Structures are given as structure tokens and as C-alpha cells.
Amino acid sequence: MSAPIRSLERAYSLSVKRGWNRYAGEPDRFPPALLSMRELAALSSRARLEYEEHRAVWHANIGPIRTPQLQSVHRDLWNVLKSNRQDGDKVRPSVVIDAFPGLGKSTIATSFGRDFHRAQIDRYGTLTEDGQERVPVVRIQLTDRTSRRDFNSALCRFFTVPGYDSGNANQLGNRAADVILSCETKLIIVDDVHFLDMRRRDDRAVANHFKSLASTFPVTFLHVGVGLEARGLLDEGLGDDDEDLAQNGRRLTPLTVEPFEVETESGRRVWRDLLLAVEKNVVLANTHQGMIADELSDELFARSTGHFASLMALIARGCERAIEDGDERLTVDVLNRVKNDAAAEKARLDMVSAFQSGRLSSRPGRQRRQRKPLKAPA
């Protein structure tokens, strides 16, 4: 019996230091070799298994692609972090990425965290002056009904502090403060902040806790979530009894991630640039120039409605189906054999109708030419 092949998946949790360090420290993935149909057929059964393992993991992890949205948010984040060099007696302003689901805001935040982590290690080294491990970035993910104690416990758990789940909120907070200071942490990313409901007293206490921590820790907080302004997290206060929240509007810098759109010429050019970048990363034997950016532009927009997460899921599933069925290229027929997320599929019929009728086109003027209209999904 032959030895099993090695899985190329990188299984780690970004909410613990060990996982974050692996994410930030491991080298970027390298793509599989592009083989022809003849070369594929010549592979041994084991070599074929290893090759398909490499392709599947590669297609599932394409990116992060430096879209205009990512570059814009990263530029603003670098501006904030480079200027947030206040001494410990001053409060460092926090940042919020507030955007609709599926636009890549979490990817943008974590990829920035990785860039910042690497820059700090390159500049200051892996150890602090006191000989402690330098941990430039902490990432915490909120869950429903997160309390002050839960959040402080999550901070301690990230650093694997002994007894990270024992003690009250203040005790855990003191332990977290000690390790954050000793490890010279500079950035704390808090994802899924939209789980906080400002109508709930406990959740408002957590929001107040963020403000308190920003005053206590010499770090920059980066909050990520959906509809945070509508939920009151960016307000200057929710009423006469919410004085603790009144400073939020002055301490939080809001950023957003715009969806892709094809109603303007500039939007269509941005969409095409994204597809060109994706196309360069697809490893299929029958791939060819224009396979994605020209031939599938309308279809991919209709199937993703311009949402980055939906697009990349569709690309990964389409590539897997093209490999499995032997097409070794992406076509409308191949994409029609895979399902996408519920929100994208729900909007698909209206989008296809708009493209079929000519009311909408995803391609810039110089790339438009006669082509078969999109097929309506069965």
C-alpha cells in the first residue's frame, strides 16, 4: 500500500498566537505548474493525486488580490498606524471597517495585519528589549453575546496565558494588559463586531469596554463588521444615559469597502482588472488568454453580483468542476454546473436579464463585441 499524500491545507486559527504567527510568517503559496492535456495524461496515479491536491488548495486560496478596494483601505490603515505613535499617556484613535457582507473586508483587515506584523518584525526583531516574544498583532473574533469577561478571556487565550478562562472580567483584563505590554502589541483586530447590539445592555457594556481598552493599551484597535453605523457603534451617543459612548464618534475613523459595479466605464475597467488578475492565477490545462476576463465577464458578474467572496467561491468551485469533468477550462456551461451562495443565486435571474437585454454590460467599451447572450439559469 502506497504512502498517503500530504495535505497542503494550512489549518490554523487566527484567534490564537500560534495560528496567527503561522499565517503571518509562512511564505506565500506558489502555484502548480501549468500542464497540458498530454502532460496530465502522462502522470502516474500518485503524481496526479498530488497535482490535484496542489491545484485544489491553490484555487481555494487565490489572493489576496490587490484590488483598488484593498489598496485604498490598506493605504488609509498605514496612514493611521504610522501616525499612531502617541506615548502611553495619550489615547490612540481606532479604526472601523464597516461594509456589506461578502466584499472582502475581513480579508483586507487580516492581510493588512499580516503586512504590519512582518514590517514590525523586520524593523524591531522577534524579541523585545526585555527578551519577550514580540507579538505585533492580535486578532479576536466576536461571537453572539460576547461579554466583557469573554473578550478579556479571548485576549488571554490568544497569548495562551495560563488560566485564560478563570477569573472575573477585571482579573482577565489585567492579565491581558500585562502580556500586551510585555509583547509590545501595536494592533488589535476585532472581527465580527456587528454581533454587538446596542439595544442590549451587556453589548453596550462591551462597546464601552473597547473605549476603555483603547485608553488603557498603547495599541490601535481595528474593528471590522457589517452595518456598524446603523447599529449605533459609530454614534456620538445613544441618549442621555449613554455618556460613556459619547466619545466614540471622535475616536473612531470609519473606512468602507465599495462593491464592484459595472454601471460606469471606470467600474467596468476595475472589474476587468480583477478578472485579469484572477485569470493569471487559474491553473487549468485548457486555459487561454481572455477565458475569464473576456468570455465570462458578464456571467461572473451576474453570478456574484460584484461581491468578491461570491466571485472567488464561484471560481474555486468552477475550477474543481472543470478538473473533475475533464473540461480543464472555465465556460458558462461549467459554471452552470456549480452552485453559489444563496444571496448571489437569488440575484442571478435579474442580473442575467439585464445583461441579456443589453441594459447592462460588464466590459469596458474597447472590449465589447458581439457575443452570444447569457443563458438564463434553468
Side-chain angles (χ1 to χ4, degrees):
M1 184 176 179
S2 61
I5 66 171
R6 181 173 65 91
S7 171
L8 297 181
E9 293 181 31
R10 297 176 178 177
Y12 45 68
S13 169
L14 298 181
S15 294
V16 293
K17 182 182 67 174
R18 181 177 64 255
W20 176 267
N21 284 346
R22 184 178 175 189
Y23 165 73
E26 284 192 328
D28 295 340
R29 294 182 182 276
F30 63 92
L34 179 58
L35 302 182
S36 67
M37 294 294 288
R38 184 187 295 264
E39 290 169 324
L40 276 178
L43 293 176
S44 68
S45 58
R46 181 178 179 82
R48 183 64 180 260
L49 284 175
E50 292 175 343
Y51 185 65
E52 301 310 359
E53 169 76 9
H54 196 173
R55 284 206 289 181
V57 173
W58 171 257
H59 288 142
N61 292 280
I62 291 175
I65 296 174
R66 297 193 62 79
T67 62
Q69 292 92 328
L70 179 145
Q71 294 181 66
S72 175
V73 174
H74 277 205
R75 185 164 51 249
D76 288 334
L77 288 173
W78 276 117
N79 180 253
V80 171
L81 266 295
K82 287 180 177 180
S83 61
N84 267 13
R85 304 293 295 272
Q86 297 88 345
D87 293 334
D89 61 318
K90 299 179 180 66
V91 178
R92 301 187 182 192
S94 301
V95 184
V96 171
I97 301 179
D98 185 9
F100 290 116
L103 297 180
K105 58 188 175 297
S106 293
T107 298
I108 289 173
T110 53
S111 62
F112 175 81
R114 180 175 62 182
D115 292 348
F116 182 78
H117 174 108
R118 291 174 174 177
Q120 289 282 299
I121 296 299
D122 287 345
R123 175 173 292 190
Y124 302 112
T126 58
L127 299 179
T128 69
E129 290 186 4
D130 294 333
Q132 299 294 321
E133 179 187 7
R134 186 180 306 281
V135 184
V137 179
V138 169
R139 180 187 175 278
I140 303 297
Q141 189 153 355
L142 297 191
T143 59
D144 191 23
R145 302 285 183 174
T146 298
S147 65
R148 287 177 57 243
R149 183 187 181 281
D150 293 335
F151 185 78
N152 290 344
S153 175
L155 285 173
C156 292
R157 179 176 179 268
F158 181 92
F159 289 96
T160 322
V161 173
Y164 64 78
D165 200 28
S166 62
N168 59 36
N170 290 333
Q171 291 169 330
L172 289 167
N174 290 334
R175 294 175 203 163
D178 288 343
V179 70
I180 284 170
L181 289 171
S182 65
C183 293
E184 297 188 7
T185 298
K186 302 298 180 186
L187 174 65
I188 298 179
I189 301 172
V190 186
D191 206 349
D192 287 342
V193 181
H194 51 264
F195 276 123
L196 297 180
D197 186 344
M198 293 300 97
R199 295 170 298 180
R200 296 198 297 242
R201 183 174 181 178
D202 290 346
D203 288 5
R204 286 155 64 183
V206 174
N208 285 329
H209 186 50
F210 289 154
K211 182 172 69 71
S212 175
L213 293 178
S215 301
T216 303
F217 298 161
V219 303
T220 299
F221 276 86
L222 171 56
H223 303 290
V224 184
V226 178
L228 302 185
E229 182 174 8
R231 294 170 187 270
L233 285 165
L234 307 186
D235 289 347
E236 297 235 7
L238 299 174
D240 294 338
D241 59 342
D242 292 310
E243 295 179 1
D244 288 338
L245 284 172
Q247 293 177 327
N248 277 1
R250 299 295 179 184
R251 291 184 174 180
L252 296 175
T253 299
L255 304 176
T256 192
V257 182
E258 298 295 335
F260 291 93
E261 55 87 14
V262 293
E263 296 183 356
T264 65
E265 185 68 8
S266 61
R268 289 188 285 270
R269 285 196 297 267
V270 169
W271 177 248
R272 177 175 172 78
D273 288 343
L274 171 62
L275 297 187
L276 287 170
V278 171
E279 189 174 287
K280 291 178 181 178
N281 284 280
V282 167
V283 183
L284 297 172
N286 286 326
T287 190
H288 55 274
Q289 187 174 356
M291 178 184 71
I292 291 176
D294 291 332
E295 297 171 12
L296 296 176
S297 180
D298 288 354
E299 175 71 16
L300 289 171
F301 196 92
R303 294 290 303 274
S304 67
T305 59
H307 285 72
F308 187 77
S310 300
L311 171 69
M312 299 314 294
L314 186 59
I315 291 291
R317 293 171 189 177
C319 287
E320 192 62 26
R321 181 54 62 89
I323 293 169
E324 180 183 330
D325 293 351
D327 299 86
E328 287 290 337
R329 63 177 178 175
L330 290 180
T331 64
V332 172
D333 288 338
V334 169
L335 293 179
N336 279 336
R337 294 179 216 153
V338 301
K339 303 297 183 183
N340 210 359
D341 61 87
E345 291 296 307
K346 185 176 181 180
R348 181 182 178 187
L349 285 174
D350 288 341
M351 293 296 299
V352 169
S353 175
F355 284 120
Q356 282 182 325
S357 66
R359 290 184 285 113
L360 200 59
S361 174
S362 67
R363 291 176 296 168
R366 66 180 181 273
Q367 270 79 37
R368 292 181 201 173
R369 58 179 179 268
Q370 283 296 114
R371 55 161 293 182
K372 295 180 180 179
L374 288 184
K375 297 178 182 178

PDB file of all heavy atoms in Angstrom, residues 163-182:
ATOM      1  N   GLY A 163      -4.552  29.928  32.726  1.00  0.00           N
ATOM      2  CA  GLY A 163      -5.790  30.337  33.382  1.00  0.00           C
ATOM      3  C   GLY A 163      -6.562  31.365  32.600  1.00  0.00           C
ATOM      4  O   GLY A 163      -7.249  32.218  33.185  1.00  0.00           O
ATOM      5  N   TYR A 164      -6.470  31.296  31.252  1.00  0.00           N
ATOM      6  CA  TYR A 164      -7.134  32.314  30.425  1.00  0.00           C
ATOM      7  C   TYR A 164      -8.651  32.277  30.545  1.00  0.00           C
ATOM      8  O   TYR A 164      -9.314  33.218  30.128  1.00  0.00           O
ATOM      9  CB  TYR A 164      -6.721  32.182  28.958  1.00  0.00           C
ATOM     10  CG  TYR A 164      -7.134  30.902  28.268  1.00  0.00           C
ATOM     11  CD1 TYR A 164      -8.436  30.711  27.811  1.00  0.00           C
ATOM     12  CD2 TYR A 164      -6.216  29.879  28.069  1.00  0.00           C
ATOM     13  CE1 TYR A 164      -8.811  29.538  27.179  1.00  0.00           C
ATOM     14  CE2 TYR A 164      -6.593  28.705  27.434  1.00  0.00           C
ATOM     15  CZ  TYR A 164      -7.880  28.539  26.985  1.00  0.00           C
ATOM     16  OH  TYR A 164      -8.257  27.377  26.363  1.00  0.00           O
ATOM     17  N   ASP A 165      -9.205  31.222  31.112  1.00  0.00           N
ATOM     18  CA  ASP A 165     -10.663  31.143  31.261  1.00  0.00           C
ATOM     19  C   ASP A 165     -11.090  31.150  32.719  1.00  0.00           C
ATOM     20  O   ASP A 165     -12.197  30.768  33.049  1.00  0.00           O
ATOM     21  CB  ASP A 165     -11.202  29.887  30.566  1.00  0.00           C
ATOM     22  CG  ASP A 165     -12.686  30.001  30.259  1.00  0.00           C
ATOM     23  OD1 ASP A 165     -13.167  31.139  30.080  1.00  0.00           O
ATOM     24  OD2 ASP A 165     -13.372  28.958  30.206  1.00  0.00           O
ATOM     25  N   SER A 166     -10.199  31.571  33.609  1.00  0.00           N
ATOM     26  CA  SER A 166     -10.552  31.639  35.030  1.00  0.00           C
ATOM     27  C   SER A 166     -10.368  33.063  35.530  1.00  0.00           C
ATOM     28  O   SER A 166      -9.470  33.783  35.081  1.00  0.00           O
ATOM     29  CB  SER A 166      -9.660  30.688  35.842  1.00  0.00           C
ATOM     30  OG  SER A 166      -8.304  31.058  35.752  1.00  0.00           O
ATOM     31  N   GLY A 167     -11.236  33.471  36.430  1.00  0.00           N
ATOM     32  CA  GLY A 167     -11.187  34.824  36.963  1.00  0.00           C
ATOM     33  C   GLY A 167     -12.313  35.676  36.410  1.00  0.00           C
ATOM     34  O   GLY A 167     -13.007  35.299  35.463  1.00  0.00           O
ATOM     35  N   ASN A 168     -12.495  36.851  36.999  1.00  0.00           N
ATOM     36  CA  ASN A 168     -13.551  37.747  36.536  1.00  0.00           C
ATOM     37  C   ASN A 168     -13.013  38.660  35.431  1.00  0.00           C
ATOM     38  O   ASN A 168     -11.847  38.585  35.043  1.00  0.00           O
ATOM     39  CB  ASN A 168     -14.121  38.555  37.700  1.00  0.00           C
ATOM     40  CG  ASN A 168     -13.060  39.393  38.410  1.00  0.00           C
ATOM     41  OD1 ASN A 168     -12.138  39.922  37.781  1.00  0.00           O
ATOM     42  ND2 ASN A 168     -13.188  39.529  39.733  1.00  0.00           N
ATOM     43  N   ALA A 169     -13.882  39.546  34.940  1.00  0.00           N
ATOM     44  CA  ALA A 169     -13.515  40.390  33.805  1.00  0.00           C
ATOM     45  C   ALA A 169     -12.306  41.263  34.125  1.00  0.00           C
ATOM     46  O   ALA A 169     -11.398  41.414  33.290  1.00  0.00           O
ATOM     47  CB  ALA A 169     -14.707  41.262  33.394  1.00  0.00           C
ATOM     48  N   ASN A 170     -12.257  41.831  35.337  1.00  0.00           N
ATOM     49  CA  ASN A 170     -11.146  42.713  35.685  1.00  0.00           C
ATOM     50  C   ASN A 170      -9.835  41.951  35.802  1.00  0.00           C
ATOM     51  O   ASN A 170      -8.784  42.418  35.344  1.00  0.00           O
ATOM     52  CB  ASN A 170     -11.453  43.446  36.993  1.00  0.00           C
ATOM     53  CG  ASN A 170     -12.559  44.471  36.827  1.00  0.00           C
ATOM     54  OD1 ASN A 170     -12.770  44.997  35.731  1.00  0.00           O
ATOM     55  ND2 ASN A 170     -13.272  44.769  37.912  1.00  0.00           N
ATOM     56  N   GLN A 171      -9.879  40.772  36.416  1.00  0.00           N
ATOM     57  CA  GLN A 171      -8.668  39.970  36.560  1.00  0.00           C
ATOM     58  C   GLN A 171      -8.113  39.554  35.197  1.00  0.00           C
ATOM     59  O   GLN A 171      -6.903  39.643  34.945  1.00  0.00           O
ATOM     60  CB  GLN A 171      -8.961  38.740  37.420  1.00  0.00           C
ATOM     61  CG  GLN A 171      -9.245  39.065  38.878  1.00  0.00           C
ATOM     62  CD  GLN A 171      -9.790  37.871  39.650  1.00  0.00           C
ATOM     63  OE1 GLN A 171     -10.470  37.006  39.085  1.00  0.00           O
ATOM     64  NE2 GLN A 171      -9.500  37.829  40.946  1.00  0.00           N
ATOM     65  N   LEU A 172      -9.009  39.103  34.326  1.00  0.00           N
ATOM     66  CA  LEU A 172      -8.575  38.708  32.990  1.00  0.00           C
ATOM     67  C   LEU A 172      -8.059  39.908  32.207  1.00  0.00           C
ATOM     68  O   LEU A 172      -7.084  39.800  31.444  1.00  0.00           O
ATOM     69  CB  LEU A 172      -9.736  38.046  32.242  1.00  0.00           C
ATOM     70  CG  LEU A 172     -10.142  36.654  32.743  1.00  0.00           C
ATOM     71  CD1 LEU A 172     -11.484  36.241  32.158  1.00  0.00           C
ATOM     72  CD2 LEU A 172      -9.081  35.623  32.391  1.00  0.00           C
ATOM     73  N   GLY A 173      -8.704  41.055  32.390  1.00  0.00           N
ATOM     74  CA  GLY A 173      -8.259  42.263  31.709  1.00  0.00           C
ATOM     75  C   GLY A 173      -6.864  42.683  32.150  1.00  0.00           C
ATOM     76  O   GLY A 173      -6.044  43.123  31.330  1.00  0.00           O
ATOM     77  N   ASN A 174      -6.566  42.541  33.449  1.00  0.00           N
ATOM     78  CA  ASN A 174      -5.234  42.880  33.944  1.00  0.00           C
ATOM     79  C   ASN A 174      -4.173  41.941  33.362  1.00  0.00           C
ATOM     80  O   ASN A 174      -3.074  42.378  33.002  1.00  0.00           O
ATOM     81  CB  ASN A 174      -5.210  42.812  35.474  1.00  0.00           C
ATOM     82  CG  ASN A 174      -6.012  43.940  36.112  1.00  0.00           C
ATOM     83  OD1 ASN A 174      -6.192  45.008  35.520  1.00  0.00           O
ATOM     84  ND2 ASN A 174      -6.496  43.711  37.327  1.00  0.00           N
ATOM     85  N   ARG A 175      -4.504  40.644  33.264  1.00  0.00           N
ATOM     86  CA  ARG A 175      -3.557  39.699  32.663  1.00  0.00           C
ATOM     87  C   ARG A 175      -3.315  40.038  31.197  1.00  0.00           C
ATOM     88  O   ARG A 175      -2.174  39.981  30.713  1.00  0.00           O
ATOM     89  CB  ARG A 175      -4.094  38.272  32.785  1.00  0.00           C
ATOM     90  CG  ARG A 175      -4.187  37.742  34.200  1.00  0.00           C
ATOM     91  CD  ARG A 175      -4.848  36.372  34.214  1.00  0.00           C
ATOM     92  NE  ARG A 175      -5.419  36.092  35.517  1.00  0.00           N
ATOM     93  CZ  ARG A 175      -6.332  35.150  35.764  1.00  0.00           C
ATOM     94  NH1 ARG A 175      -6.763  34.392  34.753  1.00  0.00           N
ATOM     95  NH2 ARG A 175      -6.793  34.949  36.981  1.00  0.00           N
ATOM     96  N   ALA A 176      -4.401  40.376  30.499  1.00  0.00           N
ATOM     97  CA  ALA A 176      -4.260  40.732  29.085  1.00  0.00           C
ATOM     98  C   ALA A 176      -3.400  41.979  28.930  1.00  0.00           C
ATOM     99  O   ALA A 176      -2.534  42.047  28.040  1.00  0.00           O
ATOM    100  CB  ALA A 176      -5.635  40.953  28.463  1.00  0.00           C
ATOM    101  N   ALA A 177      -3.603  42.958  29.792  1.00  0.00           N
ATOM    102  CA  ALA A 177      -2.825  44.191  29.709  1.00  0.00           C
ATOM    103  C   ALA A 177      -1.338  43.909  29.910  1.00  0.00           C
ATOM    104  O   ALA A 177      -0.482  44.453  29.197  1.00  0.00           O
ATOM    105  CB  ALA A 177      -3.320  45.200  30.747  1.00  0.00           C
ATOM    106  N   ASP A 178      -1.026  43.051  30.881  1.00  0.00           N
ATOM    107  CA  ASP A 178       0.377  42.727  31.162  1.00  0.00           C
ATOM    108  C   ASP A 178       1.055  42.096  29.941  1.00  0.00           C
ATOM    109  O   ASP A 178       2.170  42.481  29.563  1.00  0.00           O
ATOM    110  CB  ASP A 178       0.467  41.766  32.354  1.00  0.00           C
ATOM    111  CG  ASP A 178       0.137  42.440  33.675  1.00  0.00           C
ATOM    112  OD1 ASP A 178       0.163  43.691  33.721  1.00  0.00           O
ATOM    113  OD2 ASP A 178      -0.157  41.723  34.653  1.00  0.00           O
ATOM    114  N   VAL A 179       0.388  41.138  29.319  1.00  0.00           N
ATOM    115  CA  VAL A 179       1.030  40.431  28.203  1.00  0.00           C
ATOM    116  C   VAL A 179       1.075  41.303  26.954  1.00  0.00           C
ATOM    117  O   VAL A 179       2.044  41.259  26.182  1.00  0.00           O
ATOM    118  CB  VAL A 179       0.326  39.077  27.931  1.00  0.00           C
ATOM    119  CG1 VAL A 179      -1.059  39.270  27.335  1.00  0.00           C
ATOM    120  CG2 VAL A 179       1.167  38.187  27.032  1.00  0.00           C
ATOM    121  N   ILE A 180       0.064  42.121  26.735  1.00  0.00           N
ATOM    122  CA  ILE A 180       0.064  43.032  25.583  1.00  0.00           C
ATOM    123  C   ILE A 180       1.212  44.032  25.699  1.00  0.00           C
ATOM    124  O   ILE A 180       1.912  44.329  24.715  1.00  0.00           O
ATOM    125  CB  ILE A 180      -1.295  43.743  25.467  1.00  0.00           C
ATOM    126  CG1 ILE A 180      -2.346  42.770  24.899  1.00  0.00           C
ATOM    127  CG2 ILE A 180      -1.194  44.992  24.578  1.00  0.00           C
ATOM    128  CD1 ILE A 180      -3.756  43.289  24.954  1.00  0.00           C
ATOM    129  N   LEU A 181       1.439  44.546  26.905  1.00  0.00           N
ATOM    130  CA  LEU A 181       2.534  45.492  27.113  1.00  0.00           C
ATOM    131  C   LEU A 181       3.889  44.806  26.975  1.00  0.00           C
ATOM    132  O   LEU A 181       4.798  45.332  26.326  1.00  0.00           O
ATOM    133  CB  LEU A 181       2.404  46.140  28.490  1.00  0.00           C
ATOM    134  CG  LEU A 181       1.248  47.141  28.656  1.00  0.00           C
ATOM    135  CD1 LEU A 181       1.084  47.539  30.115  1.00  0.00           C
ATOM    136  CD2 LEU A 181       1.488  48.378  27.804  1.00  0.00           C
ATOM    137  N   SER A 182       4.031  43.625  27.564  1.00  0.00           N
ATOM    138  CA  SER A 182       5.327  42.948  27.533  1.00  0.00           C
ATOM    139  C   SER A 182       5.679  42.468  26.136  1.00  0.00           C
ATOM    140  O   SER A 182       6.862  42.403  25.773  1.00  0.00           O
ATOM    141  CB  SER A 182       5.342  41.770  28.514  1.00  0.00           C
ATOM    142  OG  SER A 182       4.415  40.770  28.126  1.00  0.00           O
TER     143      SER A 182
END
